Amino acid sequence: MDRRRELRRGLAATLPYLLSHHIPAERHRCHRLAVGGRTLHLCARCSGIYPGIALGVGVFLLGVGRGAWLPVVAFGPLPALVDWAVTTVTERRGTNAVRTATGGLLGVAYGLALPWVLTTWRPALLAIAVGYGALAAAGLWLTSE
């Protein structure tokens, strides 16, 4: 019985973070959706990332625009990284429309890159991944202090 109660309490505590990983003070970074008389918070950037991933995978599977893939993978994440950095280290709040749009570009890059790297050995893809990983790690390290 205690395990069930503990499980219910744990689920109740995590439910607000199901669609948004932001704490209440950062809910301005979320879209607010009214569903069944309740307000749901949906992370603005993630609401662009996930459809973008689906689009990127679709483009990969269809083989559309192969010549543009490398620039999309290389530069698609950059606007999201810049927007995140600016709104994290400055007083600028940014807008959810920008977060969603930059998330979409990031998602398309992810959606193209993952199946591409799993099916074809391209050192450039590894270099791009390492570069963005290093930038993200540095950004997280700098903002954690």
Side-chain angles (χ1 to χ4, degrees):
M1 230 21 194
D2 286 332
R3 287 184 185 177
R4 287 183 183 167
R5 189 176 320 143
E6 184 178 343
L7 179 61
R8 276 194 295 260
R9 272 189 279 168
L11 290 173
T14 59
L15 186 62
Y17 300 99
L18 182 63
L19 299 175
S20 171
H21 45 85
H22 297 288
I23 60 173
E26 294 179 341
R27 291 275 165 80
H28 64 277
R29 297 177 183 221
C30 300
H31 296 295
R32 286 172 177 73
L33 307 171
V35 177
R38 299 185 73 179
T39 300
L40 297 178
H41 295 90
L42 178 63
C43 174
R45 187 146 0 253
C46 292
S47 69
I49 289 174
Y50 294 111
I53 290 171
L55 179 62
V57 169
V59 166
F60 177 83
L61 293 174
L62 294 172
V64 177
R66 288 180 193 255
W69 289 4
L70 192 59
V72 168
V73 170
F75 300 110
L78 195 57
L81 181 63
V82 169
D83 182 60
W84 173 81
V86 167
T87 59
T88 299
V89 300
T90 70
E91 295 297 317
R92 185 177 174 276
R93 281 178 56 130
T95 67
N96 286 339
V98 170
R99 286 183 190 96
T100 300
T102 60
L105 293 171
L106 176 61
V108 169
Y110 283 169
L112 273 173
L114 186 59
W116 197 12
V117 80
L118 292 174
T119 59
T120 308
W121 170 244
R122 298 274 317 237
L125 293 174
L126 180 61
I128 292 166
V130 168
Y132 276 113
L135 285 172
L140 290 171
W141 180 73
L142 289 171
T143 59
S144 68
E145 295 181 347

